[in-house]
Amino acid sequence: MEIRARAPGKIILAGEHAVVHGSAVVAAAIDLYTQSSLHLPPSGEGGAGEVEVDLTDTGLAFSWPCSRLLEALGETSRKAELQAPRPCSPEELAAIARLVELHEIPEAKIWLSAGLSAFLYLYTSILGCRPGKVVVSSGLPMGAGLGSSAAFSASLSGALLTAAGVVSAEGAVGGTEWQLLGKDHLELVNTWAFQGEKIIHGKPSGIDNAVSTFGSMIKFKKGELTNLKSGNPVKMLITDTRVGRNTKALVAGVSERASSHPDAMASVFHAVNTISEELSSIVELAATDEIAMTSKEEKLAELMEMNQGLLQCMGVSHASIETVLRSTLKYNLVSKLTGAGGGGCVLTLIPTLLSKLVLEKVTTELESHGFRCFKVEVGGQGLQIHQG
């Protein structure tokens, strides 16, 4: 049996950092995916065989004998209540960490440990110790703020739950081999993906896994999630500056600035909230002609530009981000950072009437600085399944 599942990455259109202080944030799926392919031999559960994961983008593969998993995890490796996933207990997490430590992970890729822990938790909780192999590949840069870990958790959960017979595809994605899950099944996948995210990140907001699972766009404010429907396709150029950043330090820096200047920063957060609310309304409008579409894109560009200015006020920009802003501004294009800032990725709105030649020039200039560029469509499908 082979089951493939793919889940999209995400971008933050407006509201990053301010969401921690009560403002709304708008996030959207992008058509860059992480894919998990599950191969199961025609045998039942048991101690024979092994569980393997092949992380093709890193060139690394890891495996554990099923007998070793049963010995290390005991009762915890048996099928959980699949409709109501339990959080990974501290004892189970410690046992999983010891299993991960059996492998010598290169120092430069030590960050893989959390992802491998999430893999072992999700696999053994859903399928027990049944032998199998998972091959993971991704079009998303890792650690760049595009939701790569959430896409991993969502695609893996989708493949495992499909293999367990708990979820099943209901409709096809037009003209492709991929199929979609119904709303209730997506809810279950999202719940499992969130458990994976908690192992990787500790205290995630749940935004990333929700976007990876459900797709489209969402507005999130004070724990409440609202699904948005994009009235028209929105295209962005994502520039990965390849500059690493410390998200926790950046979040703490904004909080420190808010403590030092409470009134000024309260005004900044309020302005960001207003931008997020207005942007969420604009993206749902359906532009029916070229004039209306141009007007819609101009409003989106203005809101992005204002949001970027406010992010600079929060102190989360970076020299690499400013280089992207200057480069795109030469071509009258608007950009803003997405995610934590301090490096990471930058969004540039691509107007419908922008010529291919201009886009090529912009991309060439950005790549001359050592950046990577991805042209994406925003607000597309979420988790998709293929059985073969």
Side-chain angles (χ1 to χ4, degrees):
M1 179 192 297
E2 180 186 13
I3 298 168
R4 285 185 286 149
R6 68 175 190 176
K10 71 92 178 61
I11 55 174
I12 302 294
L13 291 171
E16 50 266 273
H17 285 290
V19 65
V20 178
H21 301 272
S23 299
V25 63
V26 180
I30 55 176
D31 57 352
L32 297 176
Y33 299 91
T34 291
Q35 178 173 298
S36 294
S37 299
L38 172 64
H39 306 260
L40 293 175
S43 60
E45 291 187 55
E50 61 183 21
V51 172
E52 182 180 356
V53 58
D54 184 352
L55 307 175
T56 58
D57 300 304
T58 68
L60 299 174
F62 305 88
S63 62
W64 297 266
C66 291
S67 57
R68 187 63 182 263
L69 293 177
L70 281 168
E71 178 187 345
L73 299 176
E75 293 292 328
T76 62
S77 67
R78 295 179 183 173
K79 284 189 178 180
E81 290 294 329
L82 297 184
Q83 300 292 343
R86 53 178 173 71
C88 187
S89 68
E91 295 77 18
E92 184 179 3
L93 190 57
I96 288 173
R98 287 192 291 272
L99 287 167
V100 171
E101 289 169 2
L102 294 174
H103 294 276
E104 292 185 6
I105 301 173
E107 188 67 31
K109 296 179 180 179
I110 197 66
W111 45 268
L112 286 174
S113 297
L116 290 173
S117 294
F119 167 79
L120 284 175
Y121 164 77
L122 292 170
Y123 191 103
T124 57
S125 294
I126 296 172
L127 292 184
C129 282
R130 179 177 179 178
K133 178 179 181 179
V134 177
V135 179
V136 182
S137 59
S138 184
L140 292 162
M142 287 181 273
L146 297 181
S148 59
S149 68
F152 167 70
S153 294
S155 63
L156 178 61
S157 297
L160 294 170
L161 289 166
T162 300
V166 182
V167 303
S168 57
E170 296 184 358
V173 180
T176 75
E177 63 183 3
W178 297 97
Q179 294 181 293
L180 302 174
L181 301 179
K183 186 175 184 297
D184 289 344
H185 287 176
L186 286 174
E187 293 279 6
L188 182 59
V189 171
N190 186 49
T191 304
W192 277 103
F194 185 54
Q195 297 302 324
E197 278 283 86
K198 286 200 288 187
I199 291 174
I200 296 171
H201 293 296
K203 295 182 179 180
S205 67
I207 295 172
D208 287 14
N209 52 274
V211 173
S212 278
T213 304
F214 295 103
S216 194
M217 300 184 185
I218 65 166
K219 181 176 70 174
F220 183 86
K221 183 177 182 179
K222 295 180 179 178
E224 184 177 340
L225 189 150
T226 304
N227 291 306
L228 306 173
K229 292 290 184 181
S230 178
N232 302 96
V234 178
K235 291 183 169 58
M236 295 275 182
L237 184 69
I238 298 178
T239 302
D240 178 9
T241 66
R242 301 180 190 245
V243 175
R245 71 272 186 275
N246 185 324
T247 299
K248 288 183 179 179
L250 289 160
V251 171
V254 174
S255 294
E256 288 172 11
R257 190 168 288 203
S259 296
S260 299
H261 312 282
D263 293 339
M265 289 298 286
S267 297
V268 169
F269 298 143
H270 175 73
V272 172
N273 181 69
T274 303
I275 288 169
S276 294
E277 295 288 356
E278 185 177 347
L279 188 143
S280 64
S281 298
I282 291 172
V283 295
E284 292 196 295
L285 296 175
T288 56
D289 55 43
E290 192 176 285
I291 294 175
M293 190 65 198
T294 300
S295 175
K296 177 178 178 177
E297 289 172 346
E298 287 175 349
K299 289 178 181 178
L300 287 175
E302 289 168 353
L303 291 171
M304 287 176 61
E305 189 172 37
M306 286 188 281
N307 196 170
Q308 176 59 30
L310 293 166
L311 287 162
Q312 289 166 328
C313 290
M314 296 181 211
V316 296
S317 192
H318 184 271
S320 61
I321 295 172
E322 298 300 320
T323 297
V324 177
L325 298 180
R326 288 193 300 271
S327 297
T328 56
L329 187 58
K330 293 177 187 177
Y331 300 91
N332 294 315
L333 299 175
V334 170
S335 303
K336 70 169 282 290
L337 68 85
T338 181
C345 289
V346 182
L347 307 177
T348 302
L349 180 65
I350 303 175
T352 303
L353 298 180
L354 186 71
S355 71
K356 288 185 178 180
L357 180 60
V358 172
L359 183 58
E360 287 173 3
K361 287 182 178 180
V362 175
T363 303
T364 299
E365 178 166 342
L366 291 169
E367 290 175 344
S368 72
H369 293 285
F371 304 149
R372 284 185 296 181
C373 296
F374 309 87
K375 182 183 177 183
V376 301
E377 189 162 312
V378 178
Q381 298 287 359
L383 179 73
Q384 300 161 49
I385 304 291
H386 177 264
Q387 287 183 263

